[in-house]
């Protein structure tokens, strides 16, 4: 369950007929590789793994810390965080990426409502075939307020974005450019 203070914990045990609460519903989004995914909470934030293995839901964009590698073990799914450790459900209700090997408290069942036959193009595939400048323009349009009716895009070279796309940190670079544009607005 995602909490308002950006922590993540196990929810209450429910009967099978009962549905989950909104805070217990997460959205899995494809990551930069075929076997990775990012998990979005009901508060529109992404789960991220800290160096110590703790998990919080504060991130606004998908980066290396927000991607989980998914694999299968005895019909269950196991998720490995960016720190190389498996997602673990502790007896006190906390969740973290702290286990070095797969045990029973690492296994999860991910339920989806989507069609299994449907081929969904991943975000990484869209980014690879799309124009970098065009993608940046669409990204800026999502977050920028048009008070003066002008679109403000970073004047920095798109070479940085192209190299970030090759290195797998495209979203982080986009967020950095957006942050720079915000601070430039206040420096004029």
């Amino acid at each position: 369950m995602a909490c308002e203070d950006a922590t993540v914990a196990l929810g209450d045990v429910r009967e099978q007929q009962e549905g989950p609460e909104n805070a217990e519903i997460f959205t899995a989004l494809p990551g930069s590789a075929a076997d990775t995914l990012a998990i979005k909470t009901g508060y529109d934030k992404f789960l991220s793994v800290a160096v110590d293995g703790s998990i919080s839901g504060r991130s606004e964009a998908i980066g290396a810390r927000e991607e989980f590698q998914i694999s299968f073990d005895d019909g269950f799914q196991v998720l490995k965080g960016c720190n190389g450790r498996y997602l673990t459900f502790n007896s006190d209700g906390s969740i973290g990426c702290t286990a070095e090997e797969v045990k029973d408290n690492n296994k999860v069942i991910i339920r989806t409502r989507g069609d299994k036959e449907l081929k969904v193009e991943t975000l990484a595939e869209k980014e690879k075939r799309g124009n970098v400048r065009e993608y940046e323009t669409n990204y800026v349009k999502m977050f920028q307020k048009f008070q003066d009716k002008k679109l403000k895009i970073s004047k920095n070279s798109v070479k940085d974005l192209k190299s970030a796309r090759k290195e797998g940190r495209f979203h982080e670079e986009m967020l950095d450019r957006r942050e720079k544009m915000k601070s430039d607005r206040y420096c004029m």
Side-chain angles (χ1 to χ4, degrees):
M1 169 187 309
C3 303
E4 288 180 9
D5 63 353
T7 58
V8 182
L10 290 175
D12 296 329
V13 177
R14 300 178 180 281
E15 296 294 324
Q16 193 158 0
Q17 297 83 6
E18 294 181 42
E21 294 180 16
N22 288 337
E24 297 174 329
I25 298 174
F26 294 89
T27 305
L29 300 170
S32 60
D35 64 342
T36 62
L37 59 90
I39 302 172
K40 193 173 193 177
T41 69
Y43 298 105
D44 287 332
K45 303 289 184 185
F46 292 96
L47 296 184
S48 64
V49 180
V51 177
D52 65 352
S54 62
I55 295 179
S56 64
R58 291 187 175 96
S59 299
E60 291 188 11
I62 301 171
R65 291 179 37 193
E66 289 75 31
E67 290 189 353
F68 293 88
Q69 182 180 8
I70 187 167
S71 57
F72 299 92
D73 185 85
D74 293 332
F76 292 94
Q77 293 87 22
V78 289
L79 299 174
K80 186 188 282 189
C82 64
N83 61 354
R85 297 180 182 232
Y86 292 99
L87 184 76
T88 306
F89 303 98
N90 301 317
S91 59
D92 64 351
S94 64
I95 299 173
C97 284
T98 55
E100 293 184 18
E101 55 188 47
V102 177
K103 296 180 182 173
D104 285 341
N105 63 342
N106 304 110
K107 299 176 182 179
V108 296
I109 297 174
I110 299 174
R111 291 185 284 170
T112 63
R113 292 185 182 174
D115 295 332
K116 293 182 181 181
E117 303 280 325
L118 183 63
K119 168 69 174 127
V120 177
E121 186 177 32
T122 64
L123 185 59
E125 290 171 349
K126 287 180 186 176
E127 291 167 2
K128 284 180 185 173
R129 82 175 152 75
N131 182 349
V132 175
R133 180 59 79 177
E134 190 177 295
Y135 196 82
E136 182 181 29
T137 302
N138 292 338
Y139 185 78
V140 168
K141 283 180 182 178
M142 285 193 307
F143 297 106
Q144 200 175 79
K145 293 182 180 177
F146 299 99
Q147 295 171 343
D148 56 355
K149 305 289 189 244
K150 293 181 182 175
L151 186 65
K152 294 178 184 158
I153 298 177
S154 177
K155 292 181 176 81
N156 295 346
S157 173
V158 293
K159 290 179 183 176
D160 297 335
L161 287 176
K162 288 180 181 179
S163 65
R165 179 167 65 176
K166 288 179 185 174
E167 295 170 8
R169 53 178 192 81
F170 186 67
H171 288 277
E172 290 178 75
E173 183 67 27
M174 294 282 280
L175 199 58
D176 290 343
R177 288 168 75 99
R178 181 174 160 237
E179 182 179 16
K180 179 76 171 115
M181 289 296 295
K182 282 183 169 183
S183 64
D184 285 351
R185 183 177 64 181
Y186 297 111
C187 294
M188 293 181 179

